[in-house]
């Protein structure tokens, strides 16, 4: 059986299967094979990425281009459903999946599951948003499913909530406030006077204590989205904020009440993994996103006290 959680000081922390990956290497990310593997293996919290084809079909795909994930080339939006399904996932003899196919499979699952649909599209028209919500209807009709739609794009979350106030959503503030980690070009574009990726004028020069700056920015961002159920924090931002005297997890809960907090993405092979894991556990997150729940559970104990992090 695949792991569903780890335990730390009497609390169960859910393990989220990022891009449907278990760590077994048996199936490609964001694929129907991976979905079947994790569901049949007993996982509880799943996540997959969704983007839009040129004909309005939503598909399980991370990038706006085809090369990294499939045998195709060029923009994802250049294809329709038929052309997309004719491709193969890179390194595997399996066609890429549509959202409708994933929903049809999950709609038949009878045991409890939490499914996060990570909407990667930067801009949705109202028509596309309605199509997205219609595609999710069979999943939402399944009483065993706990569905949440997550996004970095707060404007898409506001649009979806206007169209469907009952939709559960999750917000990631990394388009606006983040730690300077990673080498790819992304928003925000500048490291400010406090050492954070943040293009807001409040960070142009250091005239507030760092704690006051961080709390002001977090409050503004967390109030910019309609009531949301989940908050996603990059591990590097969590560690940097804690070092500067602000616990974003505790701050969000004081401001919003009970909110499910996820830290992403923790993998044992990455430099600094131990420190990131300890920060996540000590701050009391509810969920850890990982590409390898199997690998995470195989890591040797501390932190976690004399009994170890992963009790037998």
């Amino acid at each position: 059986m695949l792991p569903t959680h780890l335990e730390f000081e009497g609390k169960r922390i859910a393990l989220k299967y990022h891009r449907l990956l278990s760590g077994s290497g048996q199936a490609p990310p964001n694929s129907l094979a991976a979905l079947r593997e994790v569901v049949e293996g007993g996982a509880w919290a799943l996540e997959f990425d969704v983007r839009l084809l040129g004909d309005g079909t939503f598909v399980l795909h991370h990038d706006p281009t085809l090369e990294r994930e499939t045998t195709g080339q060029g923009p994802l939006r250049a294809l329709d459903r038929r052309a997309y399904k004719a491709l193969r996932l890179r390194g595997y003899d399996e066609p890429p999946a549509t959202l409708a196919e994933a929903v049809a499979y999950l709609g038949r699952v009878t045991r409890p599951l939490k499914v996060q649909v990570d909407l990667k599209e930067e801009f949705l028209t109202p028509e596309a948003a309605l199509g997205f919500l219609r595609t999710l209807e069979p999943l939402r009709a399944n009483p065993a499913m706990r569905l949440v739609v997550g996004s970095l794009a707060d404007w898409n979350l506001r649009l979806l909530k206007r169209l469907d106030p009952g939709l559960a959503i999750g917000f990631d503030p990394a388009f606006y406030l983040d730690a300077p980690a990673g080498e790819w070009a992304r928003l925000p574009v500048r490291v400010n006077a406090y050492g954070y990726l943040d293009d807001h004028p409040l960070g142009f020069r250091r005239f507030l204590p760092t704690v006051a700056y961080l709390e002001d920015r977090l409050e503004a961002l967390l109030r910019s989205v309609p009531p949301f159920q989940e908050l996603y924090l990059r591990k590097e931002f969590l560690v940097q904020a804690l070092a500067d005297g602000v616990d974003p997890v505790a701050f969000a809960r004081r401001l919003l009440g009970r909110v499910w907090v996820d830290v992403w993405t923790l993998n044992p092979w990455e430099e600094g993994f131990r420190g990131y894991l300890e920060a996540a556990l000590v701050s009391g997150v509810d969920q850890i996103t990982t590409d390898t729940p199997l690998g995470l559970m195989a890591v040797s104990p501390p932190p976690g006290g004399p009994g170890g992090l992963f009790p037998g």
Side-chain angles (χ1 to χ4, degrees):
M1 291 292 289
L2 294 172
T4 59
H5 69 279
L6 55 82
E7 294 187 10
F8 178 73
E9 295 183 348
K11 178 179 178 178
R12 294 161 65 96
I13 298 95
L15 295 174
K16 186 174 78 182
Y17 286 62
H18 185 226
R19 300 181 298 155
L20 301 173
L21 293 172
S22 69
S24 71
Q26 296 178 5
N30 287 323
S31 68
L32 292 178
L35 179 60
R36 288 191 292 268
E37 179 197 354
V38 297
V39 170
E40 293 170 12
W44 177 68
L46 321 178
E47 180 257 14
F48 52 80
D49 303 305
V50 168
R51 280 192 179 271
L52 193 60
L53 298 179
D55 66 353
T57 301
F58 284 92
V59 294
L60 272 60
H61 201 93
H62 182 281
D63 296 353
T65 54
L66 294 161
E67 288 83 351
R68 187 167 72 102
E69 297 169 74
T70 75
T71 54
Q73 293 184 328
L76 181 67
R77 286 284 190 108
L79 301 187
D80 60 13
R81 182 187 182 281
R82 182 176 179 180
Y84 185 70
K85 291 294 292 183
L87 301 176
R88 289 296 179 267
L89 293 168
R90 188 160 295 282
Y92 295 83
D93 187 23
E94 179 179 352
T98 67
L99 176 59
E101 289 172 324
V103 166
Y105 174 80
L106 288 167
R108 298 189 294 270
V109 175
T110 57
R111 69 172 181 85
L113 279 179
K114 186 169 82 72
V115 177
Q116 178 193 335
V117 178
D118 193 355
L119 184 60
K120 293 298 186 184
E121 284 297 318
E122 286 80 12
F123 300 102
L124 282 182
T125 65
E127 293 75 21
L130 284 168
F132 176 67
L133 292 169
R134 283 194 295 269
T135 305
L136 292 177
E137 282 175 1
L139 182 55
R140 298 178 70 190
N142 184 343
M145 294 294 119
R146 174 177 159 187
L147 172 71
V148 60
V149 175
S151 182
L152 287 155
D154 54 300
W155 53 93
N156 282 337
L157 294 176
R158 286 190 291 270
L159 171 61
L160 290 169
K161 288 292 277 188
R162 285 195 293 269
L163 295 171
D164 188 344
L167 181 70
I169 60 172
F171 177 50
D172 188 329
F175 269 172
Y176 300 97
L177 180 63
D178 201 359
E183 298 178 356
W184 63 96
R186 60 189 173 91
L187 294 174
V189 299
R190 63 188 293 274
V191 178
N192 70 10
Y194 296 91
Y196 288 86
L197 278 173
D198 182 3
D199 296 329
H200 193 275
L202 189 61
F204 285 1
R205 64 185 179 88
R206 183 185 286 268
F207 67 93
L208 287 174
T210 303
V211 168
Y213 153 75
L214 276 173
E215 290 184 343
D216 185 273
R217 294 295 292 126
L218 282 169
E219 180 174 2
L221 291 169
L222 297 180
R223 293 196 186 281
S224 71
V225 179
F228 57 90
Q229 285 66 45
E230 297 193 355
L231 173 65
Y232 312 118
L233 299 173
R234 184 195 293 271
K235 60 183 184 292
E236 293 89 350
F237 172 75
L238 175 63
V239 167
Q240 185 171 338
L242 288 171
D244 283 334
V246 174
D247 182 343
V249 179
F251 182 84
R253 288 174 179 156
R254 286 197 304 272
L255 187 70
L256 304 173
R258 184 60 185 163
V259 60
W260 184 269
V261 182
D262 170 286
V263 63
W264 59 275
T265 300
L266 273 67
N267 294 315
W269 59 80
E270 294 177 336
E271 184 178 356
F273 164 74
R274 283 287 179 184
Y276 294 130
L277 179 59
E278 183 169 12
L281 297 175
V282 171
S283 64
V285 301
D286 302 287
Q287 180 172 277
I288 291 173
T289 295
T290 177
D291 293 319
T292 176
L294 289 170
L296 196 68
M297 293 299 290
V299 174
S300 54
L309 180 58
F310 311 121

